[in-house]
Amino acid sequence: MSEQPKTGQLTFVAPRRAKPQRHLADLTMAERRDAVAELGEKPFRADQLSRHYFTRLTGSPEQMTDLPGALRERLVEQLMPPLLTSVREITCDGGMTRKTLWKLFDGSLVESVLMRYPDRVTMCVSSQAGCGMNCPFCATGQAGLTRNMSTAEIVEQVVAGARALARGEVPGGPGRVTNVVFMGMGEPMANYKAVIGAVRRLVDPAPEGLGISARGVTVSTVGLVPAIGKLADEGLPVTLAVSLHAPDDELRDTLVPINTRWKVAEVLDAAWNYAAKTKRRVSIEYALIKDINDQEWRADLLGRLLKGKLVHVNLIPLNPTPGSKWTASRPEDERAFVRRLESHGVAVTVRDTRGREIDGACGQLAAAPQQ
């Protein structure tokens, strides 16, 4: 487990750890065919394996009856090794919100959350075990960074949710994952290569990937400016969510320590460049913290920064975390903040705090072995 970071300390490079076994979800379709050929088999076997994993959502050899028995075991062992082991599952909202604690091959712990709504199913996934960005109001950030996750470990969280839905294990009957948000544990842009690989597996058409619409995928960041620029050039029209939390550098330096590296103006410039290149509306995430960042003058400052831009503000009532000195804004202050933003013509919504009672809401994921 990682050491708890000092106040304001940033960790960009994950500790060197053993890597998980290669999985077909780590690979493009061409790479899968090469991998199968290296095992002395016909490349089309990679297409069969991909259909089982991404389309039929099967993971056990006995279900792969279109493959010869001995070959099934070998290919699954080599290209579909188990990556996540469920340690605990907690539900709320009548079973429609499910938080799963996963153990990775090296004992690292991460969490994912499935949220079923009447019109969609959203999976909130982790991209790192822990986080190196050290935001003081976030349980994950306070734990420090253990390691980066692999592309396949990220994808497997979504596939696990898809399997639960397909089997009818989530109330509401069989269903499918329609949205994926990289808002679980970790800073996605600090694990850029694996996250982009995962996004491509999510949006590639079946059987290359899961075939989720790119418009249903949201990649969140606290503001790693160079990585936002790279994402804009990937040709992936996913939603960019910027965790801003303060419109002024003085406060943001404290709340979001990355701001000591890239200031508010630089982060927003990168966001507007992203919007211009992708034609996708940027989401500004703003956790409302009582008497810290919820003043009307800050709402006015934020409104002036965002006015006329392709943007939407997602206000998040701060979710409680153990030992935190901060709490959510008063309802009247929240309403005043919304009014001030709307007076500048800025689109704003207050986020549904799904999963709060199971520590599955924004900023609460800590992957504690017991809860």
Side-chain angles (χ1 to χ4, degrees), residues 113 115 124 137-140 183-184 220 243 245 285-287 314-321 351-356 359-365:
V113 184
M115 294 161 281
C124 178
F137 57 90
C138 173
T140 313
M183 293 181 178
S220 175
S243 297
H245 306 310
E285 311 288 305
Y286 197 105
N314 209 350
L315 293 178
I316 309 159
L318 185 74
N319 293 303
T321 56
R351 184 186 289 177
D352 168 20
T353 55
R354 270 285 191 110
R356 177 182 279 188
D359 291 337
C362 183
Q364 291 186 308
L365 299 187

Side-chain angles (χ1 to χ4, degrees), residues 23-26 32 46-60 64 79-84 151-160 162-163 201 206-210:
H23 189 284
L24 69 82
D26 288 310
R32 290 173 217 165
D47 299 57
Q48 290 178 301
L49 274 185
S50 298
R51 269 194 294 277
H52 280 296
Y53 185 74
F54 286 111
T55 307
R56 296 173 189 153
L57 303 172
T58 54
S60 54
M64 303 178 185
L79 288 171
M80 293 173 66
L83 296 176
L84 308 179
T151 287
E153 287 174 326
I154 298 168
V155 172
E156 182 77 351
Q157 296 169 78
V158 183
V159 170
R163 284 176 178 153
R201 293 309 98 76
E208 291 187 38
L210 282 169

